[in-house]
Amino acid sequence: MKIQFLGAAGEVTGSRHSVELTLGGRKTRFMVDFGMFQGGREATAKNLEPLPFSPKEIDFVVLTHAHIDHSGLLPRLCAQGFLGPIYCTDASFELLKILLPDSAHLQHSDVDRAERRQKAGKWRGELPVALYSMEEAELALAQCEVLAYGKQIELCKGINLEFQNAGHILGSAIAILDITEDQSKKKRCVFSGDIGMKGRLLMPNPAIISQADVVIVESTYGDRLHKTLADTEAELIQVVTSTMNTHGNIVIPAFAVGRTQEILFLLIDLVRRNLLPHLSIWVDSPMATAATHLTQHFFAQLDQESQSTFEWFKNNPSAVDLRFIADVDESKALNKIKGGAIIISASGMCDAGRIVHHLKNNLPRAQNAIVITGFQAYGSLGRRLVDKATKVRLFGEEVPVRASIHTIGGLSAHADQAGLLEWLQGFEVAPQSVFVVHGEPEASAVLGEVIREELGWKNVIIPERLHTYAC
Ligand SMILES: [Zn+2]
């Protein structure tokens, strides 16, 4: 059996791993994840790069979760001739129905905007390229086959698949593949996907797997530890209480899927525990609204504590005034609220979407607070705010930054180094090989070293992109 790492090797995006083996004398190939590279021109080039084999050669795809960096190139793969099934969990499938068409839409609006600017003589350099159309996104969805957590299915003679909850986002899965290749004994390959942080809100703890021959583990935070949830709560209570006391608004930029629901649950839970007073919360992002409804729909897949918070809120609906903004007019009406509102909106890095309007409206007033809850990439508006910009340019206008800017750490959807180690310690016997992927080079290298030293595992590999490894 051979594994080729086509992405998420030396970086955190573009997860796609090809597994090649011989079954019944026939070459079989499948992919685990088929994600998009994100961030900058280099990512665009990698997204357009042809595969080192024909898409028609792929028998099936196993998808660990719906995040675009794991799923975002599936429509392109299907459009290029992959006709097989895409196995995913039920919640991942529902999230894909939101995320893939949205991704197609975003790509096309980027192209349209660039073309308009080029016509007006305001665009230099190459135009962006749309990787697939809305129709192609729909076609990929038609190839999805849903598999419940904990159910094992035979994908073909010699390969069985089981999903276990990875505790990362709704529907996220660890993929367990039992493979019996010609002339060899059964081997168990465990792909971690993205592993969630134990003891966090909403998602259950990642499932512990006790046996594997080959492990492919993520390492996003392989070199650091997160703040505790208690510290995160204390920071949030402090900002909310002081801003409400001075009659300001709180604006929280948040990714629509995952982070928005996490913040909502955290705020509601703090009200339930009498640590915050009655709150007025507006969620202003159509995608966040859809993802929040999905989270309610998959209530049984949430952790026990979040289920009881949710039950409590159902029985005490007046404790939090929670409203989902439907249209642009309603969104604009929020501009009239001068104090006492918590506005959660996307995009998470403040570069696009309705959040930009809320920032323009709320940044100039000193009694308001902006609460940053996620990673802000270099060059993004969110990063400029974190880096204490005193003014920013929004919609061609200079906007003074007088509101206070707060960064609340500790809400990561990824396990930290201790969490990853704890998950790996679940394997009772050292696997034959461990591949450390999905991390910046430093994070993967540090985690690899810690696995060798603390767990005493010998064969720990940090794979290089496009390289093939026998296992
Ligand atoms: Zn993810």
Side-chain angles (χ1 to χ4, degrees):
M1 180 169 64
K2 285 187 259 178
I3 306 184
Q4 187 179 21
F5 297 88
L6 300 177
E11 61 188 318
V12 291
T13 67
S15 271
R16 37 184 190 160
H17 313 306
S18 151
V19 181
E20 192 191 324
L21 61 155
T22 312
L23 290 174
R26 178 187 162 268
K27 197 169 90 180
T28 301
R29 187 191 292 279
F30 67 90
M31 301 293 309
V32 177
D33 291 340
F34 209 81
M36 190 184 282
F37 293 92
Q38 292 169 314
R41 210 170 278 168
E42 223 179 287
T44 309
K46 286 183 202 161
N47 286 329
L48 291 168
E49 200 175 76
L51 285 176
F53 41 81
S54 161
K56 295 191 176 92
E57 271 180 48
I58 302 169
D59 295 284
F60 56 88
V61 175
V62 174
L63 181 70
T64 62
H65 65 289
H67 272 154
I68 286 296
D69 66 317
H70 290 255
S71 72
L73 287 187
L74 283 168
R76 193 169 166 84
L77 184 70
C78 297
Q80 287 175 343
F82 165 65
L83 297 170
I86 300 163
Y87 297 101
C88 62
T89 65
D90 50 1
S92 287
F93 180 48
E94 295 304 319
L95 280 174
L96 286 179
K97 285 188 201 167
I98 301 174
L99 290 170
L100 291 181
D102 180 70
S103 170
H105 172 73
L106 285 179
Q107 293 168 37
H108 285 273
S109 20
D110 280 351
V111 174
D112 290 348
R113 193 178 317 117
E115 282 175 351
R116 277 199 307 273
R117 287 179 71 91
Q118 193 185 44
K119 270 189 200 141
K122 290 179 183 167
W123 186 273
R124 283 194 208 105
E126 277 175 49
L127 286 172
V129 187
L131 296 162
Y132 45 85
S133 66
M134 196 74 99
E135 292 71 34
E136 284 164 341
E138 296 293 340
L139 283 176
L141 290 170
Q143 283 172 240
C144 288
E145 287 193 20
V146 161
L147 173 64
Y149 289 123
K151 291 243 158 52
Q152 200 181 62
I153 56 158
E154 187 178 67
L155 301 184
C156 60
K157 198 155 173 47
I159 305 182
N160 285 5
L161 168 69
E162 182 182 333
F163 285 137
Q164 285 286 342
N165 204 319
H168 168 62
I169 59 162
L170 201 63
S172 65
I174 297 162
I176 304 168
L177 286 140
D178 285 331
I179 297 169
T180 315
E181 206 177 355
D182 290 358
Q183 279 97 43
S184 32
K185 275 200 274 179
K186 185 174 96 177
K187 267 194 182 162
R188 172 167 282 192
C189 281
V190 174
F191 288 80
S192 75
D194 288 356
I195 289 279
M197 185 72 185
K198 193 179 166 184
R200 289 300 157 104
L201 288 171
L202 285 180
M203 294 301 128
N205 291 339
I208 296 295
I209 317 297
S210 60
Q211 192 265 320
D213 298 289
V214 180
V215 173
I216 293 84
V217 64
E218 70 124 322
S219 60
T220 316
Y221 293 105
D223 58 346
R224 66 195 96 158
L225 299 175
H226 295 322
K227 279 187 185 171
T228 65
L229 185 57
D231 285 346
T232 306
E233 286 180 356
E235 286 174 334
L236 194 59
I237 292 167
Q238 204 274 327
V239 181
V240 174
T241 313
S242 61
T243 313
M244 291 300 138
N245 286 343
T246 53
H247 307 289
N249 286 332
I250 298 172
V251 176
I252 309 182
F255 294 107
V257 175
R259 186 53 41 86
T260 295
Q261 293 75 42
E262 220 176 347
I263 293 164
L264 271 181
F265 265 76
L266 185 53
L267 289 169
I268 292 170
D269 195 47
L270 292 171
V271 174
R272 174 175 79 102
R273 285 150 57 200
N274 291 321
L275 294 167
L276 283 178
H278 173 273
L279 299 174
S280 297
I281 307 175
W282 276 263
V283 176
D284 187 16
S285 147
M287 199 198 274
T289 301
T292 308
H293 290 151
L294 264 190
T295 309
Q296 289 169 321
H297 178 78
F298 288 103
F299 177 71
Q301 294 185 15
L302 307 181
D303 75 326
Q304 284 299 323
E305 213 180 309
S306 304
Q307 288 189 15
S308 46
T309 301
F310 189 68
E311 282 293 342
W312 172 84
F313 185 44
K314 250 185 13 197
N315 297 326
N316 298 273
S318 59
V320 176
D321 189 6
L322 174 59
R323 292 181 227 185
F324 293 92
I325 301 293
D327 56 36
V328 178
D329 288 339
E330 256 188 290
S331 177
K332 283 184 184 155
L334 277 182
N335 292 351
K336 296 200 185 89
I337 304 175
K338 298 297 174 209
I342 298 180
I343 301 164
I344 306 175
S345 186
S347 71
M349 294 197 207
C350 314
D351 274 331
R354 294 182 184 176
I355 187 69
V356 189
H357 293 274
H358 297 304
L359 288 172
K360 181 168 178 258
N361 194 43
N362 285 281
L363 279 172
R365 295 174 69 232
Q367 61 267 58
N368 296 336
I370 315 299
V371 176
I372 305 283
T373 61
F375 178 72
Q376 304 296 315
Y378 186 76
S380 63
L381 172 59
R383 179 65 165 263
R384 295 209 296 284
L385 293 175
V386 171
D387 289 344
K388 303 191 169 52
T390 52
K391 50 182 190 266
V392 289
R393 240 189 137 69
L394 303 177
F395 305 115
E397 259 177 62
E398 196 163 276
V399 178
V401 180
R402 297 198 192 97
S404 57
I405 313 290
H406 307 262
T407 305
I408 305 279
L411 280 181
S412 179
H414 291 267
D416 60 5
Q417 187 190 73
L420 290 167
L421 269 190
E422 190 179 334
W423 182 73
L424 288 166
Q425 274 166 328
F427 295 103
E428 286 161 9
V429 177
Q432 280 164 24
S433 22
V434 177
F435 294 94
V436 181
V437 298
H438 201 289
E440 296 293 333
E442 175 70 9
S444 299
V446 170
L447 185 70
E449 215 31 57
V450 174
I451 297 172
R452 282 186 207 103
E453 278 176 17
E454 293 199 16
L455 306 184
W457 295 359
K458 302 265 182 307
N459 201 16
V460 183
I461 303 133
I462 320 283
E464 276 180 55
R465 194 171 90 83
L466 298 174
H467 282 225
T468 302
Y469 299 80
C471 48

